[in-house]
Amino acid sequence: MLDNYDVIVIGAGPGGYVAAIRCAQLGLKTACIDNQVNPQGEPSLGGTCLNVGCIPSKALLDSSEQFYRLMHQFSLHGIRYENAFMDVDAMQERKRGIVNGLTGGISQLFKANGITSVHGFGRLMSRNAVNVLDRSGQVTATLSARDIILAPGSVPVEIPAAPIDREFVVDSTGALEFSRVPRRLGVIGAGVIGLELGSVWNRLGSEVVILEALDEFLSIADHEVAREAKRRFTRQGLDIQLGSRVSKVEYGAEGVILHYARKDVSRTVEVDRVIIAVGRRPATEGLLAADSGVMVDGSGFVEVDENCRTSIRNVWAVGDAVRGPMLAHKGSEEGMAVAERIAGGKAHVDFNCVPWVIYTSPEIAWVGRTERQLKEAGREVSTGSFPFAATGRARAMEEAYGFVKMIADKSTDRLLGVHMIGPHVSELVNECVLAMEFQASSEDLARTIHAHPTLSEAVHEAALAVDKRAIHRAN
Ligand code: FAD
Ligand code: NAD
């Protein structure tokens, strides 16, 4: 059977499903092939993000944050309680409900937009043909299209020193499924996943040790933000051991013993469960027939130009499987832009304005470049920062911690980066993304009225501080 389409999308994560919907909106006959299944083995659209990534992790982060506040912060508001405990089964059930609702929602959107949803593994055979394979590797269909979008996403990196066994040693997917709170939890990798999932189980009572290979903590973030984050995470009870290299795991009577070296000294730590969170790699194995003509680099990323075009003109690739940050919103923007280009329109993705958020408590968020990156590039900059403790709203919320730091070009005042740690900065950062997208100066933000009392006043004051005229702090 050979079905003909205008566009075939391989992968229904935030890159692929958004591309498919936009193609259909633009009148293109579209099919989307995806092989993700839920724990019951049923097809489940939405990719890593909706099934085992952004959404389930944020559901658990929110449940655990509510619990932590109840135990440690509600009393500050005069709220008294007795005998509170976390029902982990109920927490997990809530998470599954949210995931099912959203993944089912993508199926509905596909139907509403007339997209053909095909369950199976897609393999690009030639510039216009894709085979669909079932789990045993048998070809069940061959589809053809004028344009093809590759959006296979990514999978966790494994390390030989600590192989995943899905019970004691797990990846991020396993760490979202614990049915009880581990008494002692080891996390390998102090990156985004290690910090977010380490926080979830720490808030629920786990003693958490995080072993990070690098000597510097959170080197992708601004150094002042990273320093404040480390201080607060340590105070919350995360034992972050930098410069640590795991050499092996040994199974003990009650859990596993992690053998690692830190500052050339061999050490061990015994834990009940271990989460491996050392990065992700593109899911491109088996995606391309040997003679497909699409180039991949040495790490498995599909090579694309700035418009997401691969080495074959009508084959495009978006999301985690191509260069750039592995973030859902980055993949979605690429997906939309590719759909517009296929339909003959113009599109624009500003890779300098991709926001990052780490959903710990406090949250961390930024857009643009760090002060160090700018200085290394020889740019002269002005900076201004403002603490949330000096805003009435953060104090009223009992969340008076962290700060906003703004960086502008010294001569033109154009915004080059905004970095924040504190309450709800995942929302506040988007104002700064918009400002940067519109090529605003810090003066533009300084002259914009911000409602009082709100957390966004810290953004306003940081902008004023660039010109040393913040009102509610000494400059
Ligand atoms: P994916 O979401 O990985 O989707 C790819 C889909 O394609 C999958 O369904 C896969 O099964 C399928 N597939 C792969 N190969 C084939 C094939 N050959 N044939 C058919 N189907 C195929 N990002 C954020 O921006 N914010 C967050 O808060 C966030 N939290 C995260 C938390 C965790 C625990 C994890 C693991 C990731 C998180 N991410 C977050 C990252 C985010 O999930 C990814 O950046 C995003 O999902 C990438 O989208 P994608 O469409 O490129 O690929
Ligand atoms: P990461 O790249 O963020 O962090 C991995 C960490 O592991 C790094 O600090 C690295 O130095 C360390 N590491 C690597 N090898 C190690 C080893 N052998 N021993 C000890 N430490 C080691 O990767 P991640 O946390 O796995 O997350 C993967 C990606 O998923 C992220 O980069 C991000 O793009 C995406 N993600 C985003 C969000 C979000 O947007 N909030 C949340 C989760 C995941």
Side-chain angles (χ1 to χ4, degrees):
M1 183 183 76
L2 187 75
D3 281 344
N4 282 298
Y5 293 89
D6 294 323
V7 182
I8 297 170
V9 183
I10 301 182
Y17 85 73
V18 169
I21 290 174
R22 189 70 193 118
C23 284
Q25 285 175 346
L26 290 163
L28 300 165
K29 186 183 172 197
T30 306
C32 184
I33 307 167
D34 187 85
N35 68 346
Q36 183 93 33
V37 290
N38 65 17
Q40 290 74 48
E42 300 152 347
S44 186
L45 303 177
T48 303
C49 177
L50 271 63
N51 286 283
V52 291
C54 326
I55 299 304
S57 62
K58 266 76 254 178
L60 296 189
L61 276 157
D62 205 68
S63 297
S64 59
E65 176 70 4
Q66 308 269 14
F67 180 71
Y68 185 86
R69 288 202 178 156
L70 176 67
M71 302 305 275
H72 300 280
Q73 289 164 358
F74 276 21
S75 57
L76 297 171
H77 294 266
I79 301 168
R80 309 268 172 237
Y81 57 90
E82 277 174 8
N83 304 326
F85 69 96
M86 177 52 96
D87 177 344
V88 177
D89 288 343
M91 175 182 79
Q92 293 288 19
E93 199 49 44
R94 188 188 88 94
K95 178 203 74 183
R96 280 191 280 275
I98 293 163
V99 168
N100 290 341
L102 290 172
T103 56
I106 305 296
S107 300
Q108 294 301 325
L109 286 170
F110 274 14
K111 283 195 190 106
N113 283 284
I115 296 164
T116 305
S117 188
V118 181
H119 183 70
F121 185 88
R123 175 170 299 154
L124 183 77
M125 302 309 294
S126 67
R127 58 173 56 236
N128 297 109
V130 175
N131 276 353
V132 182
L133 286 71
D134 65 15
R135 291 188 114 186
S136 64
Q138 296 300 309
V139 176
T140 55
T142 298
L143 313 183
S144 73
R146 200 187 64 210
D147 285 272
I148 293 169
I149 305 174
L150 308 174
S154 63
V155 290
V157 168
E158 295 191 27
I159 49 173
I164 304 289
D165 66 16
R166 292 174 186 243
E167 187 179 358
F168 297 101
V169 183
V170 299
D171 58 18
S172 56
T173 302
L176 293 166
E177 291 296 332
F178 290 151
S179 55
R180 59 191 175 84
V181 180
R183 195 165 64 80
R184 299 155 308 174
L185 175 65
V187 180
I188 304 184
V192 191
I193 292 180
L195 291 171
E196 288 188 356
L197 295 182
S199 293
V200 165
W201 298 106
N202 176 242
R203 291 167 188 170
L204 299 181
S206 288
E207 282 171 30
V208 177
V209 55
I210 305 186
L211 304 179
E212 163 61 45
L214 296 182
D215 291 324
E216 186 181 350
F217 178 64
L218 216 52
S219 55
I220 51 168
D222 177 85
H223 65 282
E224 287 177 74
V225 167
R227 194 170 54 214
E228 172 70 1
K230 176 127 190 302
R231 206 172 60 80
R232 295 203 66 92
F233 296 157
T234 304
R235 204 190 290 172
Q236 281 162 22
L238 295 179
D239 176 6
I240 301 167
Q241 301 205 17
L242 300 176
S244 297
R245 290 204 169 267
V246 174
S247 52
K248 67 170 178 178
V249 289
E250 205 180 357
Y251 288 82
E254 290 175 39
V256 295
I257 301 161
L258 285 170
H259 292 256
Y260 66 104
R262 191 174 182 214
K263 299 194 169 83
D264 293 331
V265 178
S266 297
R267 299 159 197 252
T268 56
V269 58
E270 194 165 355
V271 293
D272 305 66
R273 293 286 183 277
V274 180
I275 304 173
I276 309 294
V278 295
R280 296 178 64 82
R281 61 181 172 82
T284 47
E285 270 170 41
L287 173 71
L288 307 167
D291 54 357
S292 75
V294 171
M295 307 285 285
V296 292
D297 72 13
S299 306
F301 288 95
V302 179
E303 289 186 1
V304 288
D305 66 11
E306 69 281 9
N307 293 328
C308 294
R309 217 186 264 275
T310 70
S311 42
I312 301 289
R313 224 187 131 63
N314 64 310
V315 179
W316 312 74
V318 301
D320 281 11
V322 304
R323 44 85 191 110
M326 289 182 165
L327 297 173
H329 41 280
K330 174 262 189 186
S332 295
E333 288 302 318
E334 288 178 330
M336 267 192 279
V338 164
E340 306 271 354
R341 288 182 189 118
I342 290 173
K346 288 203 164 60
H348 154 88
V349 179
D350 187 346
F351 291 103
N352 295 316
C353 293
V354 179
W356 272 86
V357 177
I358 307 179
Y359 296 82
T360 43
S361 181
E363 291 182 342
I364 296 168
W366 70 89
V367 56
R369 282 178 286 169
T370 64
E371 193 175 350
R372 187 194 290 166
Q373 285 166 343
L374 288 161
K375 287 195 170 151
E376 280 170 4
R379 296 289 289 264
E380 284 206 66
V381 298
S382 309
T383 65
S385 62
F386 194 80
F388 283 100
T391 71
R393 186 66 189 277
R395 285 185 172 251
M397 293 164 67
E398 280 295 343
E399 294 190 52
Y401 45 72
F403 57 87
V404 176
K405 172 176 171 181
M406 206 165 278
I407 310 173
D409 185 276
K410 200 174 185 91
S411 56
T412 66
D413 192 36
R414 182 168 163 181
L415 279 179
L416 299 174
V418 187
H419 305 266
M420 20 183 122
I421 175 167
H424 301 286
V425 295
S426 56
E427 301 295 339
L428 296 186
V429 73
N430 296 297
E431 170 187 0
C432 301
V433 179
L434 184 70
M436 283 188 55
E437 188 68 48
F438 277 56
Q439 307 189 0
S441 60
S442 77
E443 184 70 14
D444 289 325
L445 275 179
R447 288 184 183 275
T448 301
I449 302 174
H450 289 69
H452 174 77
T454 61
L455 297 171
S456 70
E457 287 173 296
V459 174
H460 186 214
E461 290 267 14
L464 288 163
V466 173
D467 191 35
K468 302 202 173 8
R469 55 183 220 266
I471 300 297
H472 294 92
R473 73 171 295 187
N475 290 286

